[in-house]
Amino acid sequence: MSEDASVALVRALIENLQGSQLRDDWSSFALVLAFEDGDLADTYGYAYSPGGEVSAASVRSSWVREAVFDYLRGYFGPEDDLPKKTLVQFDRTSGRYGVTFEDEDASRWDVTPANYKDVREQLRPSFD
């Protein structure tokens, strides 16, 4: 896996991060990339601000598709199944990031009105 593809993925997500309540001072984010029929179908997650505020966040799939698939090509061949979901976590202060693939459970990290507080804390980046 090329570090350039990793950096390009994180950079594309940062540059396209959006949300109606997204604060400029966010310190970290967690974004779930959901795949369906071999394509990037959805993105969703949270941005975390230093004061404890949490904002819903996403990126437009079409704006980051190229960076996402460049990254995935480092792990998956043309005949391989893509993961069901991929979690990308980034800490702006330290520059650290993590990527987690979910190969089996398409409902992992799903957000509902009943679980959104738990999921946003579960996804919060922690690189300790």
Side-chain angles (χ1 to χ4, degrees):
M1 162 47 44
S2 161
E3 186 171 322
D4 292 340
S6 298
V7 170
L9 171 63
V10 172
R11 183 175 292 126
L13 296 176
I14 292 168
E15 290 173 353
N16 293 287
L17 194 64
Q18 58 187 2
S20 62
Q21 303 295 315
L22 186 63
R23 296 170 48 112
D24 289 337
D25 70 341
W26 61 267
S27 58
S28 62
F29 70 71
L31 287 173
V32 176
L33 313 176
F35 300 91
E36 193 172 300
D37 298 325
D39 198 11
L40 180 59
D42 193 17
T43 70
Y44 61 91
Y46 300 96
Y48 306 88
S49 294
E53 297 85 0
V54 180
S55 305
S58 67
V59 296
R60 278 211 176 142
S61 298
S62 60
W63 294 352
V64 297
R65 182 174 281 109
E66 183 176 343
V68 168
F69 283 97
D70 284 349
Y71 179 82
L72 292 175
R73 277 192 285 280
Y75 291 94
F76 300 94
E79 302 303 317
D80 294 335
D81 289 334
L82 292 177
K84 303 291 184 197
K85 291 185 177 173
T86 299
L87 172 63
V88 181
Q89 297 169 301
F90 174 71
D91 183 282
R92 193 182 216 176
T93 305
S94 69
R96 295 181 70 185
Y97 65 91
V99 179
T100 305
F101 298 124
E102 175 52 59
D103 296 321
E104 306 275 328
D105 184 4
S107 66
R108 185 174 182 192
W109 306 311
D110 279 358
V111 179
T112 68
N115 75 359
Y116 78 93
K117 288 183 181 179
D118 291 334
V119 172
R120 73 182 188 191
E121 290 310 309
Q122 176 190 5
L123 298 181
R124 184 186 291 269
S126 175
F127 299 112
D128 298 329

